[in-house]
Structure formats: structure tokens, C-alpha cells
Amino acid sequence: MNDIILLKLGELVLKGQNRRYFEQRLISNINRRIEAFGRFRIYSVQSTIYVEPLDDDCDMDETFEALKQVFGIASLSRAAACEKRAEAILETAKTYLKDELEGISSFKVETKRSDKSFPMTSIELSQYVGSGLHQAFPHLKPDMHEPELTVNVEVRDYAAYVHAGSVRGAGGLPVGTGGRAVSLLSGGIDSPVATYMMAKRGLKIIPVHFFSFPYTSELAKQKVLDIAAVLKNYCGDLTVEIVPFTRIQEEMRAKCPEEYFTIIMRRFMMRIAQKIADFNGCKAIVTGENLGQVASQTVEAMAVTEACCSLPVLRPLIGMDKDEIVVLARKIGTFDLSVLPYEDCCTVFTPRHPKTKPRLELVEAAEKALDIEALTREAIEGTTRVKV
């Protein structure tokens, strides 16, 4: 029996003349994601991508689970392929779905017939297969409204396919189709979710982490790398840029007014992120900022923060509340890592009374005590890159 995985596309089908580009990028991403599980033939026909094993030792269970995390896939089904004959379809359904059919009491059959040359209509084929399954499994009761199992039959160009329904995919657009962006990745809850959300819109992500040893520990850095390893399942290959930030924070503490610490720190992050972005051909900066969540995330503070860079700053969490962000963090698997008690650089030298409505000219005046260019250059030169 030819076990196969069918992947249905979502918004990719609306891409018009660019659709082929999106499909090719998706197929490339799929290849990389499942190459560890065996050799597969992957091809696209009629808004469906087929993942067909070429060897008996392909791990179809692991492949199916991995494909649930690939952006660009709306839904996926584990199916059996067979000849386009009614008798072959019925026999395949009886064999392939035997365990499921024996464990339920009601069912129905749904047929989609994209090959209009097939001699039976969709309704006729559903009735034929349903009658045959009822005879083979007499305990089953047909139920057209609330069946325990729906047997799906798809008659397509190359073959017919039988499966027990689809599961939801990751959705979104294939990673890489939207360009490249750097993402400020801390060890907190928000920034991993923001990274995930922008990768879902097709961005290839370069994570940037600011590390303030010895004020933050090696365990804090490892936590971020562990978070990146989880995100890699969705974002594809990741190389984390780890920026030494201690000198900047110490200089800031020694020479700047305390109420501006957070704003000045964020402005340095933006300057450094822009330089890393320019070097890597990135066209945007992603942050996990959320309006009103902390003092540095007021409208006024965010405006001052981004005034020092020219790239667009993408804030996918801007209108979400914390509960919504936590739900997403749990869904993608980063939450348990994010709540580990290892602090990041954002908690170093936190001002007692931060400015919530800073004025740009006053912040720029406070920064004049610092050699911004030298400090930024030193941080860039000390940056290390860790491939996840």
C-alpha cells in the first residue's frame, strides 16, 4: 500500500503569477525539514503538495509531526494511494482504515473528484464505498450529520487517495518568501512569540541576543539558545548573533541619568540590530514590544527608541494582552523555557523611576556623554555567532 502525505495550501493559492515561486520555496523548506527521516519525492499538483516516501524505512510518523510545523501548509493528511477504480478504493479503505473503523460505531464517506473523467460522481462513489464498508464492518452505523469518523476519498490526476481526515497545519507563508529580518531575542516570553509570528509571515529570521556577563549568567545565554532550538522547528535554520552588552550598560550607568537607562539601552540595541541587519541583507527589525506592558513600551518611548534607526520596526505583539501571548508561547513550546529564572540584560540596572514619556531631544542630550560610535563598534566586533 502506498502511504503518502497530502499537504493542502492556504493563502498560497491566491498568489497569482507569483504562486509558483511560493510553492517552490515551500517545497524547498519541506525538503530541509524532513531530510532526516528518509528519502521522499515531493511535488505539487492542483493546489496540493504530495510527500511520497521512496524507501520502506522512511519514518512517516516523524515526518508527519515535523510537517505540522512548516509554515505555508494549511492542513495535512496521512493517506493511502491506490488505483482510480471503485473496487480498489473500497479495498484500500477497508485495509488502510481497518483499526479506526473497528473502534467506532458511526461513519460517513465524503468524496472529492477533481478528475472529472472518473466514471462515477462524487455522491455515487461515496455511496459505493459507504455500502461496502458497512458490509465489511456491520457494527457501523451510517451517520451523515455527526459521525465518529469521516472516510475521505479524493480522486485526483495520478491516483485516488483514502484518508481519515486532515489536521491543521502551521498556516502562514513559507519562510523566506517575505525577505529577511533580525529579531531581538531575549529569554522572556514575548520575543520568541514575536519571532514565530513574523516567520509565519514568510520572514527569514536572524536572532540577535544581547548578553551582559557577568550580570547575566551563561545559563541565561544557554536558555536563549534552547529557545532558538525550539523556534528552529518553525523558522528553519537559525544562527544566533550574541552581542556583548556589558560595556555599554556600565558606561550608561556611569554617565547617564537613571530615568533614561532603559530608553538609552533600547536605542543601542536598535543601532546594533540595524548594523547586523545591514550586514545580512535584512530589511526590518522585529521586537516583542507590547503597548503599555512596561515603561519602555509606551507610544512615546517606542517612538524615541526607533528614532535612531532607519529600518522598519515590526512589533507583531503590539495589541495583544499577556494572556494571549502566553497561550501562543505554550502552543509553540517556548513558554517553559522562557519562565526559567535566568535574567537577561533588560533587567540589569533597571531604573527605579523610568521615564514613560521621554522627549527625543532630552534623550539625545543625555546620550552625548557616551561615545556611541565607539561603543557600538566594539559590541559589533565582539559579536559571536552560534548556529543552532
Side-chain angles (χ1 to χ4, degrees):
M1 186 175 297
N2 188 8
D3 199 8
I4 196 169
I5 298 173
L6 308 179
L7 309 177
K8 302 299 174 66
L9 309 181
E11 58 186 292
L12 269 66
V13 301
L14 305 176
K15 292 302 177 182
Q17 294 181 349
N18 293 325
R19 177 173 163 180
R20 186 59 184 160
Y21 162 74
F22 283 83
E23 288 184 353
Q24 288 174 338
R25 179 57 65 94
L26 176 55
I27 289 173
S28 177
N29 292 348
I30 290 169
N31 264 311
R32 284 197 297 271
R33 186 69 179 87
I34 67 174
E35 63 183 352
F37 307 126
R39 295 194 312 122
F40 297 87
R41 179 186 175 219
I42 304 172
Y43 53 97
S44 176
V45 180
Q46 292 182 325
S47 301
T48 298
I49 290 178
Y50 298 78
V51 180
E52 182 179 346
L54 297 177
D55 303 309
D56 291 338
D57 59 354
C58 289
D59 191 332
M60 295 295 285
D61 293 334
E62 290 291 340
T63 298
F64 192 76
E65 290 302 311
L67 290 173
K68 291 179 183 178
Q69 299 174 319
V70 177
F71 290 131
I73 299 171
S75 65
L76 55 166
S77 306
R78 184 90 173 261
C82 64
E83 296 180 59
K84 291 192 290 185
R85 294 184 298 105
E87 298 81 8
I89 293 170
L90 173 57
E91 289 304 313
T92 299
K94 289 194 293 188
T95 305
Y96 187 66
L97 301 178
K98 180 175 183 292
D99 291 342
E100 288 91 337
L101 292 167
E102 287 180 342
I104 60 168
S105 59
S106 64
F107 81 109
K108 73 172 180 178
V109 179
E110 287 189 354
T111 299
K112 293 182 179 179
R113 186 179 59 106
S114 58
D115 178 5
K116 301 305 181 184
S117 67
F118 190 78
M120 301 171 72
T121 67
S122 296
I123 293 176
E124 289 170 343
L125 183 55
S126 291
Q127 292 173 337
Y128 174 82
V129 173
S131 175
L133 291 177
H134 185 52
Q135 292 179 20
F137 303 91
H139 70 285
L140 291 179
K141 175 185 176 182
D143 186 340
M144 300 300 108
H145 302 291
E146 295 182 354
E148 291 184 58
L149 178 72
T150 298
V151 176
N152 291 270
V153 176
E154 300 186 32
V155 182
R156 295 181 163 269
D157 281 2
Y158 299 135
Y161 303 90
V162 175
H163 60 87
S166 60
V167 299
R168 190 171 182 176
L173 298 172
V175 170
T177 56
R180 298 160 69 87
V182 297
S183 181
L184 306 189
L185 185 64
S186 73
I189 296 171
D190 299 343
S191 61
V193 175
T195 300
Y196 163 89
M197 289 178 69
M198 295 318 302
K200 185 174 182 178
R201 298 314 304 159
L203 284 177
K204 176 65 178 173
I205 298 293
I206 296 176
V208 178
H209 176 64
F210 295 90
F211 183 52
S212 295
F213 185 81
Y215 303 105
T216 56
S217 69
E218 289 291 333
L219 289 173
K221 180 170 71 175
Q222 185 58 50
K223 179 173 84 165
V224 170
L225 295 176
D226 292 341
I227 288 172
V230 175
L231 291 173
K232 178 183 175 182
N233 293 327
Y234 300 94
C235 302
D237 292 340
L238 292 175
T239 298
V240 182
E241 308 254 350
I242 300 176
V243 180
F245 209 54
T246 308
R247 174 82 187 283
I248 289 173
Q249 290 188 290
E250 289 178 338
E251 285 285 294
M252 181 184 67
R253 179 179 62 170
K255 299 178 180 179
C256 297
E258 181 184 354
E259 64 265 28
Y260 291 130
F261 282 0
T262 303
I263 295 296
I264 293 173
M265 176 189 71
R266 296 290 296 178
R267 282 166 61 84
F268 267 105
M269 289 179 175
M270 288 297 181
R271 293 185 184 100
I272 294 167
Q274 167 123 15
K275 289 188 178 297
I276 293 173
D278 291 342
F279 181 79
N280 289 280
C282 298
K283 303 303 181 185
I285 298 170
V286 178
T287 80
E289 291 169 300
N290 174 260
L291 185 61
Q293 184 169 252
V294 295
S296 64
Q297 295 176 15
T298 63
V299 170
E300 294 87 350
M302 288 188 286
V304 171
T305 296
E306 68 178 45
C308 63
C309 65
S310 59
L311 287 178
V313 180
L314 307 179
R315 299 179 173 97
L317 310 186
I318 194 70
M320 299 175 67
D321 63 37
K322 198 66 176 185
D323 287 343
E324 292 171 319
I325 298 169
V326 167
V327 167
L328 258 179
R330 291 184 185 280
K331 172 187 171 183
I332 66 179
T334 57
F335 179 80
D336 290 340
L337 290 168
S338 293
V339 297
L340 291 174
Y342 308 126
E343 296 181 331
D344 59 38
C345 71
C346 294
T347 61
V348 176
F349 311 143
T350 302
R352 288 165 293 181
H353 304 290
K355 279 283 187 182
T356 58
K357 296 182 179 182
R359 290 167 53 188
L360 179 59
E361 64 271 20
L362 296 180
V363 174
E364 289 176 335
E367 287 178 331
K368 287 182 179 179
L370 304 171
D371 189 339
I372 293 174
E373 184 175 341
L375 288 170
T376 301
R377 182 173 61 251
E378 181 181 331
I380 292 290
E381 290 173 352
T383 296
T384 57
R385 296 164 182 83
V386 180
K387 185 175 177 61
V388 179

